[in-house]
């Protein structure tokens, strides 16, 4: 498969775009140091601050808490090895050096606390998208929409059926749609997600090649230490091998029917060049990322062909509810898409001075009933709808605290 980015792409972007990119790179570099400090170093300090008789009691059998801290350190190192691989592949993809001579290209030290949190959550998300143990969650989130696609489009037509997947995250659902024979295009705005999906789709050489400890970095709500430090292997499948197998007997290889774009969804797909381009749009855990869901619906309607299908599955955990929309003075959207071929991945969107896409002012939170009414008023007919219970998102199945969604799953058709 082709690489996700082309060398030199970065340098066509503006300073703010470069800052965000550098912060993402640096957050993966700092993963190991930050995790050791925040997870085990500070915990050891607090442990030894206990009265001597108490910490000595917990240090010995059957508790052995100091050994648990050591196990946490080992888990951090395993996760950090993954972060280092993502960093290495991303530096190569952008043509950047580990120790650049040009001060303007010095990406080290750029990460803020929020960037570090995103790196940590992205590494953890590999459990959901690319481990065998994550198949339970994928079966309730991905399989229903894949089944919809399979029922709507016969196998003979899929090679020319264009499917768009906004908010494609770590690339698993795009990968699965391509395996079904469709011409699929994923879209993602997060550099953390994009770098990680690029690594796992293009650089990992074998299945089950890396150890991941998804729940080792938190110490709450565990039933046992064995549960806390339970590891998984990633990826559960080797993407290149699976795409080869799924392409047998087909005129176009799956990797040539699979592409990604890196951009603000509203800006890129609201552009005239994407007008009536797609036969289907698949949104999984995506709709509630909109400050203004009407803009998402408008763009989806515009980029669908007449009679095209919109398949949605997800909750309504409106991401901007607490902030009431992105602060105007801090808005920073990726704009003015500049297309390039990639896995083919397109890097669309240096940041402009205007406020559009995810940074448009205003926000609104609707109920599921209101969303369905709105979809119908904005040019769709609802073909089917159901509320699906017990849908998790990166949940430890043995945790003492599990958050489960009742997700809205529907198929709509453009009229």
């Amino acid at each position: 498969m082709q690489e996700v980015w082309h060398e030199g792409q970065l340098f066509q972007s503006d300073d703010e775009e470069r800052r965000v990119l550098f912060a993402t790179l640096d957050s993966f570099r700092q993963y190991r140091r930050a995790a050791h400090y925040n997870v085990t170093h500070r915990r050891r300090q607090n442990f030894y601050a206990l009265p001597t008789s108490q910490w000595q009691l917990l240090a010995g059998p059957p508790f052995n808490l100091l050994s648990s801290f050591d196990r946490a350190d080992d888990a951090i190192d395993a996760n950090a090895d993954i972060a280092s691989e993502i960093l290495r592949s991303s530096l190569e993809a952008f043509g950047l050096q580990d120790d650049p001579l040009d001060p303007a290209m010095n990406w080290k030290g750029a990460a803020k606390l929020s960037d570090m949190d995103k790196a940590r959550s992205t590494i953890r998300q590999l459990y959901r998208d690319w481990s065998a143990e994550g198949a339970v969650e994928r079966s309730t989130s991905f399989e229903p929409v894949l089944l919809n696609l399979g029922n709507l489009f016969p196998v003979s037509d899929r090679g020319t059926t264009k499917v768009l997947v906004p908010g494609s995250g770590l690339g698993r659902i795009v990968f699965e749609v391509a395996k079904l024979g469709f011409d699929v295009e994923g879209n993602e705005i997060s550099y953390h997600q994009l770098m990680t999906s690029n690594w796992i789709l293009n650089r990992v050489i074998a299945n089950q090649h890396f150890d991941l400890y998804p729940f080792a970095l938190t110490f709450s709500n565990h039933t046992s230490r064995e549960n806390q430090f339970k590891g998984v292997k990633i990826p559960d499948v080797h993407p290149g091998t699976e795409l080869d197998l799924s392409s047998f007997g087909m005129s176009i290889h799956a990797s040539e029917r699979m592409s990604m774009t890196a951009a603000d969804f509203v800006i890129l797909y609201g552009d005239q060049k994407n007008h009536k381009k797609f036969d289907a749009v698949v949104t999984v855990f995506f709709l509630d990322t909109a400050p203004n869901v009407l803009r998402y619906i408008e763009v989806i309607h515009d980029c669908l062909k007449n009679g095209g299908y919109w398949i949605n599955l997800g909750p309504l955990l409106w991401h901007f509810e607490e902030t009431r929309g992105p602060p105007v003075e801090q808005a920073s959207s990726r704009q003015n898409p500049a297309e390039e071929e990639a896995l083919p991945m397109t890097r669309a969107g240096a940041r402009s001075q205007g406020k559009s896409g995810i940074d448009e002012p205003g926000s609104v939170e609707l109920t599921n009933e209101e969303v369905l009414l709105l979809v119908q008023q904005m040019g769709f007919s609802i073909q089917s709808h159901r509320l699906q219970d017990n849908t998790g998102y990166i949940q430890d199945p043995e945790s003492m605290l599990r958050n489960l969604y009742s997700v809205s799953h529907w198929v709509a058709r453009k009229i």
Side-chain angles (χ1 to χ4, degrees):
M1 289 183 285
Q2 300 175 38
E3 292 298 334
V4 167
W5 290 288
H6 293 292
E7 184 175 347
Q9 245 178 299
L10 163 68
F11 311 114
Q12 300 172 9
S13 302
D14 64 17
D15 290 341
E16 176 62 12
E17 187 79 5
R18 185 177 301 179
R19 183 198 67 77
V20 174
L21 171 63
F22 284 3
T24 305
L25 293 168
D26 189 49
S27 69
F28 285 118
R29 180 185 72 90
Q30 292 196 51
Y31 180 98
R32 190 185 308 270
R33 179 195 60 79
H36 279 306
Y37 177 78
N38 291 315
V39 176
T40 53
H41 174 70
R42 293 175 62 182
R43 195 162 263 108
R44 285 188 179 98
Q45 287 183 317
N46 291 332
F47 182 75
Y48 284 122
L50 293 172
T52 301
S53 61
Q54 294 181 359
W55 74 252
Q56 288 180 341
L57 171 66
L58 295 174
F63 307 103
N64 302 311
L65 281 193
L66 291 176
S67 296
S68 294
F69 298 155
D70 291 340
R71 293 178 72 183
D73 278 325
D74 291 340
I76 288 168
D77 283 332
N79 291 356
D81 288 343
I82 295 172
S84 297
E85 290 294 322
I86 296 169
L87 172 62
R88 184 178 299 109
S89 69
S90 299
L91 289 174
E92 291 177 3
F94 280 104
L96 290 169
Q97 298 176 342
D98 187 51
D99 292 302
L101 298 177
D102 184 354
M105 294 297 103
N106 184 15
W107 52 272
K108 293 184 177 179
K112 300 178 180 178
L113 181 60
S114 60
D115 303 305
M116 302 297 299
D117 289 342
K118 290 175 185 176
R120 180 169 165 174
S121 64
T122 299
I123 297 295
R124 189 165 172 259
Q125 189 179 333
L126 286 164
Y127 163 80
R128 167 185 168 84
D129 284 13
W130 291 101
S131 77
E133 290 78 1
V136 174
E137 287 191 9
R138 295 196 299 274
S139 70
T140 58
S141 297
F142 295 170
E143 287 187 15
V145 299
L146 295 172
L147 182 61
N148 290 148
L149 278 174
N151 290 336
L152 289 171
F153 300 97
V155 175
S156 59
D157 295 341
R158 293 181 190 175
T160 57
T161 299
K162 293 186 177 296
V163 179
L164 173 64
V165 183
S168 54
L170 300 187
R172 184 62 184 249
I173 191 166
V174 174
F175 166 77
E176 297 292 348
V177 173
K179 280 176 57 181
L180 290 178
F182 292 97
D183 184 342
V184 58
E185 183 173 308
N187 166 251
E188 179 57 54
I189 193 172
S190 164
Y191 270 125
H192 286 87
Q193 303 275 314
L194 289 162
M195 291 180 187
T196 305
S197 63
N198 178 44
W199 168 71
I200 206 155
L201 289 169
N202 290 295
R203 296 300 186 91
V204 175
I205 61 175
N207 67 311
Q208 300 188 352
H209 197 65
F210 292 91
D211 292 313
L212 172 70
Y213 295 86
F215 310 115
L217 276 64
T218 60
F219 277 70
S220 297
N221 288 308
H222 292 294
T223 55
S224 68
R225 293 298 173 200
E226 292 308 311
N227 170 242
Q228 177 182 0
F229 297 118
K230 182 172 62 178
V232 300
K233 295 283 189 178
I234 64 161
D236 58 316
V237 297
H238 181 242
T241 301
E242 292 295 310
L243 292 177
D244 285 342
L245 292 173
S246 68
S247 300
F248 182 77
M250 303 193 71
S251 59
I252 303 176
H253 194 278
S255 63
E256 298 178 23
R257 291 182 279 99
M258 179 179 171
S259 62
M260 295 281 282
T261 61
D264 185 306
F265 166 70
V266 169
I267 296 172
L268 179 58
Y269 293 96
D271 189 89
Q272 181 62 30
K273 67 186 176 186
N274 286 308
H275 180 62
K276 295 184 177 180
K277 179 179 178 181
F278 297 96
D279 300 283
V281 174
V282 171
T283 51
V284 177
F285 278 72
F286 174 72
L287 201 59
D288 55 1
T289 66
N292 177 5
V293 71
L294 283 81
R295 290 291 287 126
Y296 275 19
I297 299 172
E298 287 174 346
V299 172
I300 290 171
H301 187 274
D302 187 68
C303 70
L304 273 173
K305 297 176 183 177
N306 293 336
Y309 291 94
W310 177 11
I311 304 169
N312 176 77
L313 187 148
L316 293 177
L317 181 64
W318 298 107
H319 289 207
F320 290 96
E321 180 174 3
E322 297 301 319
T323 59
R324 304 299 300 172
V328 173
E329 68 273 14
Q330 296 178 5
S332 56
S333 64
R334 298 181 173 99
Q335 300 193 30
N336 300 327
E339 274 198 317
E340 289 193 55
E341 267 193 315
L343 148 76
M345 170 169 253
T346 303
R347 175 67 203 146
R351 298 163 189 256
S352 78
Q353 295 180 356
K355 307 296 187 296
S356 58
I358 200 74
D359 291 319
E360 292 176 359
S363 67
V364 64
E365 299 83 38
L366 302 179
T367 67
N368 183 59
E369 183 180 64
E370 290 167 338
V371 169
L372 290 168
L373 289 171
L374 187 61
V375 167
Q376 293 174 84
Q377 290 196 19
M378 296 182 68
F380 291 91
S381 65
I382 302 295
Q383 306 289 294
S384 64
H385 170 255
R386 70 184 181 111
L387 286 174
Q388 173 184 299
D389 293 331
N390 299 321
T391 303
Y393 195 92
I394 321 180
Q395 294 295 302
D396 177 359
E398 298 181 42
S399 173
M400 298 171 68
L401 174 64
R402 280 170 278 176
N403 295 315
L404 298 176
Y405 294 101
S406 179
V407 295
S408 186
H409 175 208
W410 38 265
V411 178
R413 191 172 192 184
K414 179 177 176 177
I415 55 178

